[in-house]
C-alpha cells in the first residue's frame, strides 16, 4: 500500500464506489422478496444484470484510477460507530489490489450468474437461489472494498453466511444440510482467531483502519518478529486457514460440493476461498514484520498442497476431484505468500479464478448432461456428445496443469521460481504436488470424455450439449484461461511484468518496514529456463502416465465395495481425517453436551424453575383456604395484622 492514502470528496466517484456492492444487494432484496412471484426471466436478468453493472462500474473505476496517477483514495460515506477512542467509518479504500479483486469478483461472478440462469432453470426456488447469489456478491465486494478490518470482518462473516445458505440450498437433503453446517462451524473456528487478531491490532496500534495501522507498523521500532507481531499475524492467519481451507481447517471445502454446481464455482473461483489470500496480502506490512509467521504460512501451504493433491488422486466424484484441486492450489498460493512472493500469489489467484471457474462450470455441464450423475466411473466418451464442454474443459485442465501457453503455466512457474530461491526442498515438494495435479486432472478428463460411455441407457438417451446460457460462459472462461497468463510474462520473455508493476505500490510500506527487497530477487535467465523446462516436463510425464492408464489400458477405478490396497484405501478415504475429527472433537463435545443437558439443564435449571412453580402452586393451595367468606374471620386477621405491625415497629424502633 502506498504511504499516503487520501480521502476523496468527489461525490460522483463516491456514488460509483457505493453502487458496486449496492447493486447486487438491491438484486438480493428484489429477488428475495419476489421469490416465486417474479417470472424467471426477470429474476435471471435482474440477478445477472446487477452484477454486470457492478463489473462495468469497476472497469470505469479502474480506467479512472490508472489515468489519474494511480493514487489510492478513501471514500468516506459516514461514521459507522464510535466506542471510546475507536472510530469505525463506513468507508471504501480504492487502490491497485482492491481494483484487481473487484474486476475478478464481478467479472467471474457475472459469468457464473449467466450460467446459473440455464443450470437452475428448472429449480422451484429459482428466485431464492439468485437472491442468495447476489447476497454472496455483496458480501465479497464489501470484504474487498472496506478500508478497515471491521468492514472486512463484516464481509468475511457475510460470505460465511451465504456459503451456509447456498451449500445447503437443497435443504430437503439431510446430507447437504450437514455439509452446510460443517462449513459454517469450521469457519467460525477460524473467524474467532481473525476477530482476536483484530482486537490485538487495535490494542497495539490504536486503530483498525488500514492506512493508520500499516503506517504505524512501518514506523514503529522493535516490532520485527516480536511476540505481538507474531501473535497478530498468527491469529489473522487462523482466520485465513478457515476461509481458504488450509490444514487443519480444510475438510469443509470438499463437502461444500453439496450445493448446486454454480455455487461451487463461485466459492472456489472468485469469492470465499480467495478471502484468506486477500487478507494476508492486504496485511503485507504486518506479515513482513513477522518472518516466523511467514515461514509457518509457507510450511502450512506446502503441506496442504501435497495432502490435497494426494487425496485428489483417488477421488471418483467429478466435483470432489475439483474441490481437492482447489485446496491444493490454495496451498500453492499460501506457499508463495510465505516466501514473500506476494505478486506471484495474487497472480495465481487470478489465473486460478479463470480455469477453476471454467472447470467447475464444465463439470456442471457434464452433470447436467448425464442426469445429475457425478461419479466419473459411470461416464466416459462424452466428448462426442458434448464437444464445446470437452474443448473448454480440456483448456481448463491444460491451464491448471501448467502447460504453456495457458494461464496456469505463467503463474505456477513464477510461483515455483520464487520458492526455488527461498528453499530448494520446498521447490521439489511443490513440483511433486504439481506432478500429482497434472495426473489427477487428466485422469478426470480421460475418464469423463474418453473411452466408452459407462452409464445407463437412460442416461445415454439424455446426453446433449448444454444450452448457450451455459456454454457461452465456458467459452469466455476458456479464452481467459488461454490468454490470462500474458499479464505476467516471466523476465526471460519480457522486461515488463504488467501485473507485478501494477501491484508494486501496495508494497511500499512493507519494503520500508522490511528494510530490504520484498519480493525474491529475479533468478538468472539460464536457471529460469531450466526451472520452466523441468516444470513442463514433469507435467507432461504425468499426462502421459494418465493417458496410458486410462485411455490406452482403459483402466476404470474399482467400484464401491471393492477391496483396495492399504495405501489406496487410506488415500481414497481421505486419510480418515474426518473420522479423526469426529472421534477427537465431535463425539467428546456431543457427550459433554448430553451430560450438561441431563445434569445442568434437566436437574439444576429445570429443578429450580419447576421447584419455584411447585412452591407457588403449594402456597396457592394453602392460602386459598383463608378465603372463607366469613367477615368475622377477615376482621380478626386485620386486627392481628395491625398488632403484629405495631409490635414489629416497636422492637425495630
Amino acid at each position: 500500500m502506498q504511504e499516503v492514502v487520501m480521502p476523496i470528496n468527489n461525490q460522483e466517484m463516491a456514488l460509483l464506489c457505493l453502487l458496486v456492492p449496492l447493486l447486487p444487494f438491491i438484486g438480493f432484496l428484489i429477488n428475495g422478496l419476489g421469490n416465486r412471484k417474479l417470472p424467471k426471466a426477470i429474476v435471471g436478468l435482474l440477478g445477472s444484470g446487477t452484477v454486470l453493472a457492478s463489473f462495468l462500474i469497476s472497469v470505469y473505476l479502474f480506467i479512472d484510477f490508472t489515468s489519474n496517477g494511480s493514487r489510492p483514495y478513501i471514500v468516506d460515506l459516514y461514521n459507522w460507530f464510535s466506542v471510546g477512542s475507536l472510530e469505525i467509518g463506513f468507508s471504501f479504500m480504492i487502490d491497485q489490489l482492491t481494483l484487481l479483486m473487484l474486476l475478478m469478483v464481478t467479472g467471474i461472478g457475472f459469468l457464473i450468474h449467466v450460467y446459473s440462469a440455464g443450470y437452475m432453470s428448472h429449480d422451484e426456488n429459482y428466485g431464492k437461489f439468485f437472491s442468495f447469489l447476489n447476497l454472496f456478491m455483496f458480501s465479497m465486494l464489501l470484504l474487498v472494498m472496506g478500508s478497515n478490518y471491521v468492514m472486512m470482518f463484516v464481509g468475511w462473516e457475510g460470505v460465511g453466511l451465504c456459503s451456509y445458505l447456498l451449500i445447503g440450498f437443497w435443504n430437503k437433503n439431510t446430507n447437504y444440510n450437514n455439509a452446510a453446517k460443517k462449513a459454517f462451524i469450521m469457519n467460525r473456528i477460524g473467524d474467532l482467531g481473525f476477530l482476536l487478531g483484530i482486537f490485538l491490532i487495535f490494542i497495539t496500534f490504536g486503530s483498525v483502519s488500514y492506512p493508520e495501522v500499516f503506517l504505524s507498523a512501518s514506523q514503529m521500532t522493535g516490532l520485527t518478529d516480536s511476540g505481538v507481531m507474531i501473535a497478530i499475524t498468527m491469529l489473522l492467519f487462523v482466520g485465513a486457514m478457515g476461509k481458504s481451507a488450509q490444514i487443519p481447517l480444510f475438510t469443509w471445502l470438499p463437502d461444500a460440493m453439496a450445493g448446486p454446481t454454480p455455487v461451487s464455482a463461485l466459492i472456489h473461483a472468485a469469492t470465499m476461498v480467495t478471502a484468506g489470500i486477500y487478507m494476508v496480502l492486504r496485511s503485507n506490512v504486518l506479515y513482513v514484520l513477522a518472518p516466523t509467521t511467514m515461514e509457518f504460512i509457507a510450511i502450512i501451504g506446502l503441506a496442504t498442497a501435497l495432502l490435497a493433491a494426494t487425496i485428489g488422486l483417488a477421488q471418483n466424484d467429478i466435483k470432489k476431484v475439483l474441490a481437492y484441486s482447489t485446496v491444493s492450489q490454495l496451498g500453492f498460493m499460501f506457499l508463495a505468500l510465505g516466501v514473500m512472493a506476494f505478486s506471484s500469489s495474487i497472480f495465481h489467484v487470478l489465473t486460478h479464478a479463470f480455469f477453476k471457474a471454467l472447470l467447475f462450470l464444465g463439470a456442471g455441464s457434464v452433470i447436467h448432461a448425464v442426469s445429475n450423475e457425478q461419479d466419473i466411473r459411470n461416464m466416459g466418451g462424452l466428448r462426442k456428445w458434448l464437444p464445446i464442454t470437452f474443448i473448454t474443459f480440456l483448456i481448463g485442465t491444460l491451464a491448471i496443469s501448467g502447460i504453456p501457453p495457458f494461464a496456469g503455466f505463467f503463474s505456477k512457474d513464477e510461483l515455483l521460481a520464487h520458492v526455488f530461491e527461498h528453499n530448494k526442498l520446498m521447490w521439489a515438494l511443490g513440483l511433486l504436488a504439481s506432478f500429482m495435479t497434472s495426473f489427477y486432472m487428466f485422469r478426470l478428463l480421460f475418464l469423463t470424455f474418453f473411452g466408452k460411455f459407462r452409464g445407463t441407457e437412460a442416461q445415454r438417451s439424455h446426453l446433449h450439449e448444454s444450452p448457450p446460457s451455459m456454454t457461452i460462459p465456458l467459452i469466455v472462461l476458456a479464452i481467459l484461461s488461454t490468454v490470462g497468463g500474458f499479464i505476467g510474462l516471466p523476465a526471460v520473455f519480457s522486461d515488463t511484468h504488467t501485473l507485478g508493476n501494477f501491484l508494486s505500490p501496495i508494497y511500499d510500506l512493507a519494503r520500508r518496514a522490511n528494510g530490504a527487497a520484498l519480493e525474491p530477487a529475479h533468478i538468472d535467465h539460464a536457471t529460469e529456463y531450466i526451472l520452466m523446462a523441468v516444470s513442463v516436463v514433469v507435467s507432461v510425464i504425468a499426462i502421459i502416465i494418465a493417458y496410458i492408464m486410462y485411455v490406452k489400458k482403459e483402466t476404470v477405478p474399482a467400484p464401491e465395495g471393492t477391496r483396495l490396497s492399504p495405501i489406496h484405501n487410506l488415500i481414497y478415504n481421505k486419510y480418515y481425517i474426518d473420522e479423526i475429527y469426529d472421534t477427537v472433537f465431535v463425539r467428546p463435545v456431543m457427550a459433554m453436551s448430553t451430560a450438561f443437558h441431563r445434569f445442568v439443564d434437566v436437574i439444576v435449571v429445570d429443578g429450580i424453575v419447576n421447584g419455584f412453580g411447585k412452591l407457588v402452586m403449594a402456597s396457592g393451595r394453602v392460602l386459598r383456604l383463608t378465603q372463607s367468606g366469613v367477615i368475622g374471620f377477615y376482621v380478626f386477621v386485620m386486627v392481628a395484622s395491625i398488632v403484629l405491625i405495631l409490635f414489629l415497629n416497636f422492637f425495630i424502633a
Side-chain angles (χ1 to χ4, degrees), residues 52-234:
L52 174 61
S54 293
F55 172 70
L56 295 175
I57 294 172
S58 299
V59 172
Y60 177 81
L61 292 174
F62 177 83
I63 295 172
D64 177 79
F65 181 85
T66 53
S67 61
N68 287 293
S70 298
R71 297 284 296 179
Y73 56 88
I74 285 183
V75 178
D76 281 312
L77 297 174
Y78 61 90
N79 185 33
W80 191 6
F81 63 87
S82 299
V83 180
S85 61
L86 176 63
E87 294 187 357
I88 305 297
F90 195 92
S91 56
F92 301 136
M93 188 171 76
I94 305 299
D95 67 354
Q96 291 85 348
L97 181 58
T98 303
L99 289 167
L100 184 67
M101 293 297 293
L102 286 183
L103 292 174
M104 184 186 78
V105 171
T106 56
I108 303 297
F110 167 66
L111 294 174
I112 292 172
H113 275 69
V114 172
Y115 180 95
S116 299
Y119 190 87
M120 299 294 291
S121 59
H122 301 296
D123 197 280
E124 60 180 350
N125 293 311
Y126 189 78
K128 184 172 75 171
F129 180 78
F130 269 92
S131 178
F132 289 166
L133 277 190
N134 281 162
L135 184 61
F136 208 145
M137 295 298 297
F138 165 75
S139 300
M140 188 65 191
L141 291 170
L142 205 63
L143 189 156
V144 300
M145 293 183 72
S147 69
N148 56 69
Y149 280 103
V150 173
M151 283 196 66
M152 180 192 282
F153 186 74
V154 172
W156 191 275
E157 292 302 296
V159 295
L161 169 64
C162 294
S163 68
Y164 169 77
L165 295 173
L166 287 165
I167 293 168
F169 181 74
W170 288 320
N171 50 40
K172 294 180 181 179
N173 187 312
T174 302
N175 290 332
Y176 294 174
N177 291 332
N178 291 337
K181 288 187 289 186
K182 182 177 181 179
F184 191 79
I185 292 170
M186 292 198 77
N187 272 275
R188 297 293 72 72
I189 296 170
D191 294 353
L192 175 61
F194 185 38
L195 189 60
L196 292 174
I198 295 174
F199 290 156
L200 194 52
I201 286 173
F202 174 70
I203 293 170
T204 305
F205 302 107
S207 175
V208 292
S209 171
Y210 299 147
E212 294 177 15
V213 170
F214 300 155
L215 185 60
S216 297
S218 67
Q219 293 175 342
M220 293 174 69
T221 58
L223 281 181
T224 302
D225 231 17
S226 62
V228 67
M229 288 310 302
I230 293 175
I232 288 173
T233 51
M234 282 290 191

Side-chain angles (χ1 to χ4, degrees), residues 195-330:
L195 189 60
L196 292 174
I198 295 174
F199 290 156
L200 194 52
I201 286 173
F202 174 70
I203 293 170
T204 305
F205 302 107
S207 175
V208 292
S209 171
Y210 299 147
E212 294 177 15
V213 170
F214 300 155
L215 185 60
S216 297
S218 67
Q219 293 175 342
M220 293 174 69
T221 58
L223 281 181
T224 302
D225 231 17
S226 62
V228 67
M229 288 310 302
I230 293 175
I232 288 173
T233 51
M234 282 290 191
L235 286 170
L236 294 180
F237 182 59
V238 169
M241 283 179 174
K243 203 63 80 193
S244 296
Q246 296 297 286
I247 293 173
L249 302 177
F250 72 97
T251 57
W252 69 269
L253 190 55
D255 286 5
M257 299 302 95
T261 302
V263 174
S264 304
L266 194 62
I267 290 176
H268 285 247
T271 56
M272 186 167 173
V273 298
T274 64
I277 310 291
Y278 168 79
M279 183 272 292
V280 174
L281 194 58
R282 173 61 74 196
S283 309
N284 61 82
V285 182
L286 305 180
Y287 277 92
V288 299
L289 293 172
T292 299
T293 304
M294 296 294 277
E295 195 67 23
F296 179 75
I297 290 174
I299 293 171
I300 290 294
L302 180 58
T304 303
L306 285 166
L307 180 71
T310 58
I311 295 175
L313 294 172
Q315 298 306 302
N316 298 316
D317 184 307
I318 188 171
K319 290 173 67 176
K320 283 286 182 72
V321 176
L322 296 179
Y324 280 105
S325 79
T326 298
V327 176
S328 184
Q329 295 302 305
L330 289 167

Side-chain angles (χ1 to χ4, degrees), residues 341-637:
F342 293 132
S343 292
S344 300
S345 180
I346 196 67
F347 186 18
H348 202 55
V349 168
L350 188 62
T351 60
H352 179 264
F354 298 153
F355 58 69
K356 187 49 63 69
L358 171 60
L359 290 167
F360 264 112
L361 297 186
S365 182
V366 170
I367 295 168
H368 176 77
V370 293
S371 307
N372 297 319
E373 177 64 69
Q374 294 185 199
D375 194 326
I376 57 178
R377 293 172 293 191
N378 300 326
M379 299 180 187
L382 296 181
R383 69 184 190 277
K384 59 184 176 182
W385 285 287
L386 288 72
I388 297 175
T389 300
F390 166 65
I391 294 171
T392 54
F393 200 94
L394 173 61
I395 290 172
T397 306
L398 289 167
I400 194 175
S401 300
I403 303 299
F406 299 96
F409 163 74
F410 294 100
S411 58
K412 188 189 72 172
D413 175 72
E414 180 181 305
L415 186 158
L416 288 176
H418 288 314
V419 175
F420 179 83
E421 282 295 286
H422 178 78
N423 186 296
K424 304 301 186 291
L425 176 60
M426 283 187 170
W427 170 79
L429 293 174
L431 200 63
L432 175 61
S434 179
F435 171 85
M436 290 189 286
T437 299
S438 299
F439 177 82
Y440 68 66
M441 284 306 303
F442 272 89
R443 170 183 179 268
L444 173 64
L445 179 83
F446 293 144
L447 286 171
T448 303
F449 293 99
F450 286 72
K452 298 177 181 179
F453 182 68
R454 299 180 294 276
T456 64
E457 284 303 315
Q459 289 174 329
R460 185 193 297 272
S461 64
H462 184 261
L463 293 175
H464 63 281
E465 185 59 275
S466 299
S469 62
M470 295 169 64
T471 55
I472 290 174
L474 292 179
I475 294 170
V476 174
L477 288 167
I479 294 171
L480 292 172
S481 299
T482 303
V483 303
F486 290 98
I487 62 172
L489 290 174
V492 294
F493 295 145
S494 172
D495 294 330
T496 303
H497 193 295
T498 304
L499 181 64
N501 292 341
F502 176 70
L503 291 173
S504 182
I506 70 172
Y507 314 128
D508 285 346
L509 288 177
R511 291 189 186 96
R512 190 172 74 182
N514 186 258
L518 189 60
E519 299 261 342
H522 288 294
I523 57 181
D524 62 88
H525 288 355
T527 304
E528 191 164 3
Y529 274 124
I530 292 172
L531 293 178
M532 290 167 59
V534 170
S535 178
V536 173
V537 168
V538 164
S539 294
V540 170
I541 291 173
I543 295 169
I544 293 172
I545 294 173
Y547 179 81
I548 293 172
M549 289 181 62
Y550 299 106
V551 178
K552 284 289 187 181
K553 295 184 177 180
E554 298 183 345
T555 304
V556 178
E560 293 294 335
T562 303
R563 188 168 184 174
L564 305 172
S565 67
I567 294 178
H568 191 171
N569 194 53
L570 182 67
I571 295 173
Y572 179 74
N573 288 286
K574 299 160 283 189
Y575 298 100
Y576 299 99
I577 294 175
D578 279 311
E579 289 78 3
I580 293 172
Y581 285 177
D582 184 66
T583 302
V584 176
F585 299 108
V586 178
R587 291 183 183 179
V589 169
M590 293 297 292
M592 185 172 62
S593 299
T594 302
F596 272 104
H597 167 72
R598 291 175 178 173
F599 177 73
V600 178
D601 192 31
V602 175
I603 298 177
V604 179
V605 177
D606 287 354
I608 293 173
V609 173
N610 294 336
F612 275 109
K614 291 176 181 178
L615 178 62
V616 170
M617 293 292 292
S619 302
R621 283 194 295 270
V622 173
L623 291 175
R624 70 184 177 85
L625 299 176
T626 63
Q627 304 300 315
S628 62
V630 179
I631 295 176
F633 177 73
Y634 293 160
V635 172
F636 169 76
V637 171

Side-chain angles (χ1 to χ4, degrees), residues 13-27:
M13 295 303 294
L15 178 61
L16 288 174
C17 290
L18 178 61
L19 284 175
V20 173
L22 184 60
L23 286 169
F25 187 74
I26 292 172

